[in-house]
Amino acid sequence: MASKYNSDLETTAAPDEKKVRKTLNPNSIYLPILFGLGVSLWLFIDKVSLPDFLQKLQEANWIWFFVAFLVLLIRDGGYIYRIRAISDGELNWKSSTFIILLWEFASAVTPSAVGGTAVAIFIISREGIKFGKSLAYVMLTALLDNLFFVIFAPIAILTANFYGFQVFPNVELEFLGNFLQQYGLKTIFYISYGLIAFYALFFAYGLFINPRGFKWFLMRLTGLRWLRRFRKSANQTGDEMILAGKSMRGKPLNYWLKASFSTIFIWFARYLMLNALIQAFNQLGSLDHLFVLSRQIVMWIVMLVSPTPGSSGAAEGVFCTFYGEYLGDSFCTAVGIIWRLYYYYPYLIIGALILPYWLKRSAKAKP
């Protein structure tokens, strides 16, 4: 009876391939590129002096541009290692590389608050992994990333305060409207942080402690009259959690250590890339590097509430709010654009280029 139940879950809970393919489409790159580059161009024309920009490029220490690129490659290597480690070696290096590049592509063309979760499940499944395991790997990855923010954001704030740094900029983000002008950046951060913490703890409970209790809670919640339209989705989410929880049972301590430390490595590598870019234009001391790192953690949490694909536009706009004091109010706009050119736009282009080949290749590997 149990095996029949699990088999039914495998059939009914699989992601909607038509919806996934709408996202996993080379044409998906146009909107975020146009939006992001449009905001970048507007900010550049409005705030950057071209002669000053060219002069600063000539004076920059170009070794740090290479270091930033190297750190980015190391970060991607960490992602590839983590998904392979989470799969217990069931995914080979080639499959893991395709998964990460296309997952980054999916994240770049969907809003940050949504991410590429459903697409990631589809990608891993197409690499020959059964749906239950694919779901578990994606859920675990998302949970680890969120737990990183939950744990390290308070550490970053306390560390900055200890050394006398103000981790929250004392400026208003006028381009984001009256809400931020009234309530301030700190409020936006704490709202976003609270949502991340709730999501992480709630899903940790469902994944590791009581998957069936997780489903029961969702079904009771959506039994309320004004939430009944979400009942079907809640039922599917509950079924998915039961499958994922089953796949995570009995993992050894070494498994969790690899997953946890690779997550920490990935995120610090991601952040250090910006440290290297700022270092190219402004010689930073050790405490300055710590401050830049601390502000990045806060900035990323704020960016997660952006409704645009990959925080496109919002990231370019918010960058100078956090780092204008190190780069100057005008030149920081140019550095913010370079920052996005490093970690965002390449994944749009690479994903669009490899996607047709991967779809043909992975069709043979479907479980």
Side-chain angles (χ1 to χ4, degrees), residues 67-100:
V67 171
F69 178 71
L70 184 62
V71 170
L72 193 64
L73 291 180
I74 292 172
R75 184 212 70 156
D76 288 340
Y79 270 125
I80 293 166
Y81 169 82
R82 182 175 68 169
I83 194 64
R84 178 170 160 77
I86 285 175
S87 74
D88 266 337
E90 194 171 353
L91 289 167
N92 60 36
W93 291 109
K94 186 175 183 179
S95 293
S96 299
T97 301
F98 273 114
I99 288 168
I100 293 305

Side-chain angles (χ1 to χ4, degrees), residues 116-270:
T117 302
V119 179
I121 297 169
F122 172 77
I123 294 168
I124 297 174
S125 297
R126 292 275 296 210
E127 286 294 334
I129 307 297
K130 289 186 176 181
F131 171 73
K133 286 186 176 181
S134 299
L135 177 71
Y137 301 157
V138 173
M139 280 189 171
L140 177 58
T141 299
L143 181 59
L144 288 169
D145 288 338
N146 282 293
L147 284 174
F148 174 88
F149 288 122
V150 170
I151 294 169
F152 281 93
I155 294 174
I157 294 171
L158 291 173
T159 303
N161 289 340
F162 177 79
Y163 286 106
F165 290 121
Q166 176 56 260
V167 76
F168 294 101
N170 291 318
V171 291
E172 295 172 348
L173 305 180
E174 296 180 4
F175 66 94
L176 288 180
N178 293 328
F179 184 83
L180 279 175
Q181 293 181 40
Q182 182 178 354
Y183 294 102
L185 186 65
K186 188 181 291 189
T187 300
I188 304 302
F189 167 81
Y190 284 120
I191 291 173
S192 184
Y193 179 84
L195 292 173
I196 293 170
F198 173 78
Y199 170 88
L201 295 176
F202 187 47
F203 271 75
Y205 169 79
L207 191 60
F208 300 121
I209 300 174
N210 190 357
R212 294 185 184 278
F214 176 91
K215 179 179 179 180
W216 176 87
F217 174 78
L218 290 181
M219 298 306 293
R220 289 295 298 267
L221 186 65
T222 53
L224 300 173
R225 185 175 59 185
W226 55 89
L227 294 176
R228 282 176 189 163
R229 60 189 176 125
F230 301 110
R231 195 169 180 81
K232 183 177 179 181
S233 296
N235 183 61
Q236 179 171 322
T237 301
D239 286 344
E240 289 174 350
M241 187 61 74
I242 292 170
L243 269 178
K246 180 183 176 185
S247 298
M248 288 291 104
R249 287 178 201 156
K251 298 293 185 184
L253 177 62
N254 188 47
Y255 177 90
W256 299 112
L257 290 176
K258 286 180 180 179
S260 300
F261 283 109
S262 61
T263 299
I264 296 171
F265 173 85
I266 287 164
W267 280 102
F268 276 108
R270 179 190 284 266

Side-chain angles (χ1 to χ4, degrees), residues 30-73:
Y30 298 124
L31 179 60
I33 285 179
L34 288 174
F35 195 81
L37 291 182
V39 171
S40 298
L41 183 62
W42 175 76
L43 289 170
F44 191 90
I45 293 172
D46 183 57
K47 295 183 177 295
V48 179
S49 165
L50 185 58
D52 182 53
F53 172 67
L54 295 175
Q55 179 66 29
K56 287 186 180 295
L57 276 182
Q58 289 179 347
E59 296 172 354
N61 187 340
W62 283 73
I63 292 175
W64 288 102
F65 288 115
F66 173 74
V67 171
F69 178 71
L70 184 62
V71 170
L72 193 64
L73 291 180

Side-chain angles (χ1 to χ4, degrees), residues 314-362:
E316 290 85 348
V318 80
F319 181 82
C320 285
T321 301
F322 284 88
Y323 296 109
E325 63 197 82
Y326 278 104
L327 299 162
D329 290 336
S330 59
F331 185 65
C332 73
T333 300
V335 179
I337 294 170
I338 296 171
W339 170 61
R340 291 286 280 178
L341 287 173
Y342 263 80
Y343 91 88
Y344 178 67
Y345 294 106
Y347 297 104
L348 287 173
I349 297 169
I350 292 171
L353 289 176
I354 69 173
L355 182 58
Y357 167 76
W358 176 81
L359 286 171
K360 292 179 182 178
R361 171 187 175 276
S362 63

